[in-house]
Amino acid sequence: MKNFSFMRLSIWFYLVIFFAYLLGPLVIMSITAFNSPGFPRAAPWECLTFEWFSALFQDERILNGIWNSVLVGTGTVILSVAMGLAGALMLTQIWPKLRATYYTIIIAPILVPGVVIGISTLVFWDRVNRMLGLDADSFLSSGLFLTIIGQSTFIASYCMLVLVARLQRYDNALTEAALDLGASHAQTFRKVLLPFMRPAIASAAVLAFLASFENYNTTTFTFGEYPTLTIELAQKVRYGITPAISALAFIIVLLTVFAALFNEAKIRRQELVAAARKTATVEELETGKFRLPGFLSSNTAAVLLVVVAMATIAVVGTATVYSPAQCIADVKETKRLETELRIQELLQRRADEAARRAAEEGEQSDQAPATDATPKPSNDSGFGNVFNPGTLQDGGTETPEEEPENSGSGGVFDPGNLQSN
Amino acid sequence: MSAGVGVNLENLWIRFGDFVAVRDANVNINGGDFFSFLGPSGCGKTTILRAVSGFLEPSEGNVLIGGNNMKGIGPNKRPTALIFQNLALFPLMKVWENITFSMEIKGASAKERRKRADELLDMIALTGQGDKLPAELSGGQKQRVAIARALCAEPDVLLLDEPLSALDLKLRQHMRSELREIQKRVGITFIYITHDQGEALTMSDNVAVMRAGVIDQIGDGKTIYNDPNTAFAASFVGENNVFRGTVKKVIGNEVMVSTNRSGDLMARISSNNVGKMKEGDDAMLFIRPEAFALAPVGTQGDHFVTAQVTKEEFEGNVFNIFMEGEGGKEMKVSLPNLGQSFESHKGEPMTLEYDVHNAVALPAGVLATE
Ligand SMILES: Nc1ncnc2c1ncn2[C@@H]1O[C@H](COP(=O)(O)OP(=O)(O)O)[C@@H](O)[C@H]1O
Ligand SMILES: [Mg+2]
């Protein structure tokens, strides 16, 4: 009995840790999107603000990146799903004997590093372009074309895996039945096989779009004049990030939640409808008296969906009227006071020290840097700091006593750090 | 009814690599017949059906439908409709869409299709269930939808591959008469496959008995039951008691077999084997359980059998008596229940007599294994 409850406790503990690990970064990132400081951080909480969202929507490059990502994503979805379906059909129907070999070949692109795919795409199509005697700005060397082609080489393999899984559950007798009833092969494909594959095609399309949207490794070689969102973000981060990126992340998370809830609600609804139809009598079905269950009844996902939608609307509504100006002014004032206080302290300490040294050695040193430093509040959360090049830039001018706090891994990569040391 | 379209198999061979699935089949199926292929599982029945419907090209020989050679004609161009062993209803289409799939292919309007579907649904007693999905139907209902779907294509020949095997016993018996009923009504040729001899005998005009790719006998049910061509047909169709031995004497259409266990017994030679059995040949003698009658214990003669009773069973319409038979196999005797009184003879010897005409002698051969 005791063991049992201990087991349960540890399972719960594990689950909490696991989900914290999975979702923690996203939650923190989302929170930073609503905090007013110019660098994304969740604590200390200063002022609730929506300005990062408007900053995001005014950032031409980000918007353009999103648009390019959508273009590339759409192209990749079309190409990969088509190629994936062809591959899956080939694998399950046409060459059952060569299955193993064929499978290995078609899976290979997943195993090849994205970087290699990017480079080889670039090299290969450049060759083709030259062989055809086309200009450097021909369609074949356009960033859009290359990125779609490059990403599709391996995304098509993902799609194929998804589609093969569904195809393996396909009963070939259905194809034969359709042929037997007089359908041509094309009609059989269109009216029987394709509808059967539809859910898998939808999954593959979503997967392909997401894989394309988040791809960086391959795209970085091929994007040309079509920088995607990931490319833009990567370039931006080089110059330091703002909570506008958190805002973007938040929007993406929210969209994901919406999509997941919507999907869940839809599946649940289909189940409910199927169950209701099964119990319905013939007369009910015939006379149209048959009532479908309400959309929200016993459908948790649907309820959650509505709640989240309402919350979003409420937040957007608030955002349009809410102004954090007063709060920001207050915080500024507090900060100023704090800073002044600390400067006083510092000066005092320095003066004391100077006096002590003078007394001991009779010698002056000017090792302490500028006195107009604005030290940060020392209760920064570890999280904010690690990813915070801005802090480090400040850090250069901070007092030595506060230095160790910032020497996380983030410091290693920060150019500002180098400058100041 | 119209004469219907006949089907002929001429010297049909079907091989899968080295394996011969169908060996030199010659079958003439009359138009409008209910014709069954009967044989144990794996004997090549489905293979023959697939050759007729066009999913398989014969290795040798021809399939003729309505006198036309079907060589090179695909399944979607043949006047056949196949009812699959697993039915193969389209899971995502509603019942009415399933039924009228063949019309959709030809571009019929939804209204026409709906109308035809309603007619067919009436015929299969599923009125008003057209908007259900196949998964929402019971086994017997699915079965009937599959039949309606095939009939909607207006085939000249309907092919059925063990369509009742997935149903429970009650439903199977009901569907037997229903299928026969439908066949009479539409008047087209039915080719029916089954491993259940009861199904074959009750429904068919003619039956082909198959064994391992070979057709042993073709005939109507009565002929196959009473006058089997081979030991296999005798033992596969219905229950039968076998007596092994050698031919002692041939007297016209009758033969005396000296059996290993029950002495010399007389039997009629199966009509296909008259003149083919000679003295000294290995022979098998078959007597049906219902062909026996009780005789005074110990009676000797060429149509009396004496053996120890091992088990007795009351089945209602008959008393079954099991006696020590050949090779450890029990011999079964079924005596009709006419209200007479039966005493138990368990463990005692019992003597039975039979009419020589009801015993069939055949050249020794492979028996069906139950
Ligand atoms: N496509 C095939 N390839 C190889 N062997 C096959 C194939 N189809 C059927 N067979 C073999 O042919 C024999 C007859 O099969 P089938 O016609 O399905 O028997 P049944 O009488 O049970 O319907 C079986 O031994 C089966 O293994
Ligand atoms: Mg079969």
Side-chain angles (χ1 to χ4, degrees), chain B residues 145-168:
Chain B
V145 171
I147 293 167
R149 182 177 73 176
L151 290 177
C152 184
E154 300 185 338
D156 293 328
V157 181
L158 190 68
L159 310 168
L160 304 100
D161 190 353
E162 310 210 19
L164 306 186
S165 57
L167 306 182
D168 59 62

Side-chain angles (χ1 to χ4, degrees), chain A residues 303-340:
Chain A
V303 173
L304 273 177
L305 182 66
V306 172
V307 169
V308 173
M310 303 263 239
T312 311
I313 292 169
V315 169
V316 171
T318 319
T320 52
V321 293
Y322 172 80
S323 162
Q326 184 55 48
C327 171
I328 287 176
D330 287 352
V331 168
K332 229 177 214 158
E333 184 58 25
T334 330
K335 264 192 185 167
R336 199 182 56 79
L337 288 176
E338 228 171 67
T339 313
E340 246 162 41

